[in-house]
Amino acid sequence: MEIVRVPVLSDNYAWLIHDAGHTVALDPGEAAPVAAAASARGWTIEQVWLTHWHPDHVGGAQALQAQGARVAGPAAEAAKIAGLDTLLAEGDDIAIGDARATIWSVPGHTAGHIAFHFDDRAVIFTGDTLFAMGCGRLFEGTAEQMHANMRRFAALPGDTRVYCGHEYTLSNARFAAVAEPDNGAIADRLVEVTAMREQGEPTIPTTIALERATNPFLRSVDAAELAERRAAKDAFKG
């Protein structure tokens, strides 16, 4: 399975997933750069998978659908996403080529947010739920829901690669250093991430093991601590 990062909009990442001659575009906030990245590799986008309804994740879906792709997304958000061909919910499976993903329901950022977990490939696409060193804002859900998501992510094997929807790692790392000032792993990662971004390098994917060590939201002991940290991050100016 090949995974290609496609920068779109200001700081979003869309993803191309290619397996056994078949291609899916995940969270295409714009159609043109995603289609161009696929075309440059001789790939045809047959499916579009969406994690949640926000426009910066679904903005290119209808244009790709008009070019022949079928669109799959969260059943709980079907009223907010035009033209879904396939409705997905907790425990469903969806395949591209020989690779099969299981759907996780991970509400919090939005009420119907889903993730795509390729268990046998040790890969998960988390949209705006789990970020490198962060988590999504609680626009439609609760801290209890997000904490449950974090516990679920943390239980994955450490080598699981995490593909999220934004390049937020530097800001998240700066906040993490304030949230856990005695965490040496966070301090080290802040130095590393700062250098990567100064060189224009992406920081995604991350791994579950790295997030266990350096993500203050994944490390929150309970929902109350996560809520406190999320409110602090919302106000953080670093």
Side-chain angles (χ1 to χ4, degrees):
M1 186 168 74
E2 295 181 63
I3 300 171
V4 175
R5 178 190 310 100
V6 184
V8 297
L9 302 172
S10 61
D11 54 26
N12 280 73
Y13 289 137
W15 301 98
L16 291 174
I17 310 166
H18 183 78
D19 191 82
H22 301 274
T23 307
V24 61
L26 188 139
D27 283 358
E30 296 179 279
V34 176
S39 178
R41 293 164 173 80
W43 299 348
T44 299
I45 297 172
E46 300 170 16
Q47 298 184 57
V48 173
W49 296 354
L50 305 174
T51 61
H52 64 293
W53 68 267
H54 284 167
D56 60 326
H57 290 255
V58 307
Q62 285 189 290
L64 295 174
Q65 188 178 43
Q67 297 171 19
R70 291 181 60 81
V71 181
E77 297 183 356
K80 295 184 175 181
I81 304 174
L84 287 180
D85 298 303
T86 303
L87 304 181
L88 300 172
E90 171 71 33
D92 288 342
D93 286 347
I94 190 167
I96 186 70
D98 296 329
R100 183 168 295 275
T102 300
I103 303 306
W104 287 18
S105 174
V106 287
H109 182 68
T110 65
H113 200 301
I114 59 175
F116 295 81
H117 179 218
F118 292 89
D119 186 17
D120 63 339
R121 311 297 177 97
V123 163
I124 192 163
F125 291 88
T126 59
D128 285 1
T129 302
L130 175 66
F131 291 122
M133 305 189 79
C135 76
R137 286 177 180 259
L138 299 174
F139 286 126
E140 297 178 2
T142 66
E144 288 75 16
Q145 288 174 319
M146 190 61 81
H147 183 257
N149 296 337
M150 296 298 107
R151 294 301 90 207
R152 192 174 184 184
F153 290 131
L156 287 168
D159 64 350
T160 302
R161 288 172 289 152
V162 178
Y163 295 83
C164 59
H166 289 270
E167 183 56 72
Y168 286 166
T169 315
L170 182 54
S171 173
N172 288 343
R174 289 170 175 159
F175 172 75
V178 173
E180 295 191 30
D182 297 325
N183 186 325
I186 287 176
D188 290 344
R189 194 172 180 196
L190 175 56
V191 171
E192 179 183 18
V193 167
T194 299
M196 293 174 73
R197 296 308 296 152
E198 286 176 350
Q199 296 298 317
E201 297 176 7
T203 63
I204 311 300
T206 179
T207 67
I208 291 296
L210 195 52
E211 296 312 304
R212 287 182 196 145
T214 63
N215 188 323
F217 298 96
L218 201 72
R219 294 166 55 81
S220 297
V221 296
D222 55 27
E225 183 175 52
L226 185 144
E228 181 180 350
R229 287 179 167 179
R230 186 61 259 181
K233 178 62 169 66
D234 291 348
F236 185 66
K237 302 301 183 183

